[in-house]
Amino acid sequence: MPKPERKHRGAAPIAQAGEPVRIAKALARAGLCSRREAERWVAEGRVSVNGEVLASPARDVGLTDRIEVDGQALPEVEPPRLWRYHKPKGLVTTHKDPQGRKTVFDSLPEHLPRVVSVGRLDVNTEGLLLLTNDGALARHLELPATGWMRRYRVRAHGSVAQEALDRLKGGIEVGGVRYGPIEATLDKVQGSNVWLNIGLREGKNREVRTILDHLGLTVNRLIRISFGPFQLLDLEPGGVESVRRRVLIDQLGQHVAHTLGLIEDDAAGTGGGRRKPSARPPGNAQD
């Protein structure tokens, strides 16, 4: 089944595990489709709750509701998971590209469930991209409020003094956009290029490239080497590795982990239990 993009909503509050959710969200969390697809399925009369065929997606469902698609019960929900992925240069971080370019999600191993990315890396950026099967976890990790540093290795054409890089610690405004504090150090000079180490917490669109362009540098290689406590290390380009659940819980903290449904209890997600990664959508789910 195609895996359409689930758009991120920014600073949305984290829903408590087990709270009633809209039917579209319940279907998306079960890994069947995006919320937009779920709304279309409802309009097509394919979704029922407790035996009632829904006519509108404006319906909340909870743990005790029986949800069916094309007459088949919803697969059990898998707890949130996180993967480290080494994104190669040349892939776009979207599920469907209007220009027909190859995407990150086209390139993932078949055994992975439906996943979304934690933020994005542009087509010419390589390195660490976090993937998750849970939209709420993705939104939480994207927020600057987490305080997690994103670190990059950068090769750029031109020259720059460490003093100019040091001034970025107080933030900078470029083209009317204010960027927060940035850690930047000059690693080495290599011919007409410089290698830099960059650390930032906000991750605005094309932030590294924009700021270095302002300093007279042209980025010709950009590699993200870490996102908070998670590092690229020796993961090969195109490689995917699961983050152990215990590690994820430790990094998020007990409260957030419980809120996101990582710590199991009787209220761990609509429908309860876990969904097997190999679960397939009922009926004909092709677009």
Side-chain angles (χ1 to χ4, degrees):
M1 179 181 73
K3 302 177 179 179
E5 178 181 1
R6 184 187 304 177
K7 296 185 181 297
H8 299 152
R9 303 291 184 182
I14 302 173
Q16 291 283 346
E19 285 185 346
V21 296
R22 289 292 191 183
I23 183 63
K25 183 174 183 179
L27 295 178
R29 288 172 70 177
L32 297 185
C33 57
S34 69
R35 295 190 199 184
R36 184 174 299 174
E37 277 185 312
E39 290 173 355
R40 188 171 72 243
W41 290 2
V42 170
E44 292 170 352
R46 298 173 58 186
V47 182
S48 67
V49 176
N50 302 326
E52 174 193 354
V53 176
L54 299 186
S56 166
R59 171 70 177 267
D60 290 342
V61 293
L63 294 173
T64 60
D65 291 311
R66 178 174 175 80
I67 304 167
E68 294 184 349
V69 179
D70 296 336
Q72 297 185 34
L74 210 62
E76 292 183 336
V77 176
E78 180 182 279
R81 295 182 62 191
L82 189 71
W83 290 265
R84 295 185 305 121
Y85 170 64
H86 187 158
K87 176 193 172 295
K89 182 177 179 180
L91 299 181
V92 291
T93 313
T94 184
H95 287 264
K96 288 183 178 178
D97 181 56
Q99 300 177 41
R101 295 172 295 180
K102 192 171 183 180
T103 76
V104 163
F105 303 98
D106 293 332
S107 308
L108 295 177
E110 288 293 326
H111 69 268
L112 285 185
R114 182 181 182 275
V115 294
V116 294
S117 63
V118 178
R120 296 171 183 257
L121 293 177
D122 69 37
V123 64
N124 291 317
T125 301
E126 56 195 288
L128 181 65
L129 183 66
L130 297 179
L131 305 172
T132 176
N133 61 342
D134 188 85
L137 176 58
R139 289 190 293 273
H140 176 75
L141 296 182
E142 287 170 352
L143 295 177
T146 61
W148 283 2
M149 184 75 76
R150 293 89 180 234
R151 296 191 181 276
Y152 299 81
R153 285 277 290 161
V154 188
R155 186 182 67 193
H157 180 77
S159 61
V160 67
Q162 183 61 50
E163 291 77 9
L165 298 175
D166 288 341
R167 288 194 287 271
L168 298 176
K169 292 179 181 178
I172 188 173
E173 185 172 317
V174 181
V177 177
R178 183 69 189 177
Y179 297 95
I182 298 163
E183 296 180 7
T185 57
L186 177 61
D187 181 31
K188 62 182 178 181
V189 177
Q190 190 176 57
S192 60
N193 293 314
V194 293
W195 278 96
L196 309 172
N197 295 315
I198 303 286
L200 48 89
R201 298 184 189 277
E202 289 185 327
K204 288 187 172 76
N205 185 39
R206 299 182 64 83
E207 181 170 350
V208 174
R209 297 178 190 276
T210 299
I211 291 169
L212 293 185
D213 181 71
H214 182 74
L215 297 180
L217 299 172
T218 301
V219 173
N220 50 45
R221 191 172 185 192
L222 181 57
I223 311 164
R224 184 155 71 186
I225 58 174
S226 67
F227 189 110
F230 305 108
Q231 300 182 54
L232 182 63
L233 299 176
D234 57 356
L235 193 62
E236 293 293 327
V240 182
E241 186 173 291
S242 178
V243 174
R244 286 186 300 171
R245 190 176 179 196
R246 181 73 258 170
V247 171
L248 182 55
I249 290 172
D250 288 345
Q251 296 302 329
L252 292 172
Q254 292 285 315
H255 174 70
V256 172
H258 184 271
T259 299
L260 288 169
L262 274 158
I263 298 176
E264 291 183 9
D265 57 24
D266 292 338
T270 301
R274 302 188 183 187
R275 177 179 55 82
K276 297 179 181 179
S278 59
R280 299 297 181 191
N284 179 13
Q286 298 292 330
D287 280 339

